[in-house]
Amino acid sequence: MNFEAIFNFFGNSSIITYVVLIWLSLYFILSFSIFFSRISYIAAWKNKEKESLETLLLGEKDLSRTDSILRKCTDTSLNHLEIYKNLATRRASGGLTWLSIIASTSPFIGLFGTVISILETFGGLGSQNSLSIIAPQISEALVATGCGILVAIPAYTFHLVIKARAFELLSIIDSEIKVLSNHN
């Protein structure tokens, strides 16, 4: 695809196509922003929890000198530790809802843009219904669907990767809780 075709596409596009493509562009940027911020946050947190777990496994019974989320828990009964685990679950899974929304709605937004473009194509044909006129316009209309799918794939992938990393983190926290509850 050359630049002339791109300029032609945008020159012939309706306001709906612009809205759809801008919306999908914002989704695309948001997906990558959520992914990179959450991955780095969870990785740093996971390292802190690993160090805390190693400290516990070496026989230390007090987490107040560590960076664990459990360090603030003064009562190490299982119920109180589970409350902190629930807090950790909520923090670790931040952003997953947005990635899920983006992954599930972006193909529909793209499809909406395609349907509107196709309707405009058929509405503007009048007596000219030659395949040589319809085919390029239908092809251009499918760009919105392709963009919707292009946005959905990384968003869904990022959702699964963050979910897996959060699970790894929560497994470490769960191990810390088991060690602490065995000390009581």
Side-chain angles (χ1 to χ4, degrees):
M1 185 179 243
N2 58 26
F3 287 113
E4 184 179 321
I6 293 171
F7 290 130
N8 188 33
F9 170 76
F10 283 110
N12 294 330
S13 296
S14 71
I15 189 71
I16 297 294
T17 302
Y18 284 116
V19 169
V20 165
L21 293 178
I22 289 170
W23 193 348
L24 291 173
S25 297
L26 292 173
Y27 268 9
F28 192 75
I29 292 166
L30 183 60
S31 294
F32 277 87
S33 298
I34 290 170
F35 177 70
F36 289 121
S37 67
R38 297 306 302 168
I39 282 297
S40 61
Y41 176 74
I42 291 173
W45 187 6
K46 185 177 162 187
N47 288 334
K48 291 176 186 177
E49 295 299 339
K50 275 184 177 178
E51 291 173 10
S52 297
L53 178 59
E54 289 173 8
T55 301
L56 284 172
L57 291 174
L58 290 173
E60 179 67 39
K61 293 179 174 86
D62 183 20
L63 282 179
S64 63
R65 293 184 291 260
T66 67
D67 284 333
S68 173
I69 192 170
L70 302 174
R71 76 180 178 280
K72 297 176 185 173
C73 189
T74 55
D75 181 1
T76 57
S77 67
L78 191 57
N79 288 337
H80 281 88
L81 292 170
E82 286 295 326
I83 291 170
Y84 278 88
K85 182 181 176 189
N86 291 340
L87 175 65
T89 301
R90 195 167 59 245
R91 282 186 187 168
S93 62
L96 288 180
T97 301
W98 274 108
L99 288 173
S100 181
I101 289 169
I102 291 168
S104 62
T105 61
S106 58
F108 294 113
I109 294 167
L111 185 60
F112 173 74
T114 297
V115 168
I116 295 299
S117 294
I118 290 173
L119 288 173
E120 289 172 348
T121 298
F122 286 127
L125 284 178
S127 64
Q128 299 174 322
N129 54 8
S130 167
L131 186 59
S132 63
I133 294 171
I134 295 173
Q137 291 178 338
I138 298 296
S139 175
E140 290 175 7
L142 290 172
V143 168
T145 299
C147 288
I149 293 168
L150 180 69
V151 171
I153 292 170
Y156 185 69
T157 304
F158 296 164
H159 179 273
L160 293 178
V161 169
I162 291 172
K163 192 174 179 180
R165 299 285 167 86
F167 177 77
E168 292 169 5
L169 168 68
L170 294 170
S171 294
I172 294 169
I173 293 172
D174 194 46
S175 295
E176 289 177 274
I177 288 173
K178 287 177 182 170
V179 170
L180 283 171
S181 64
N182 286 338
H183 283 278
N184 292 338

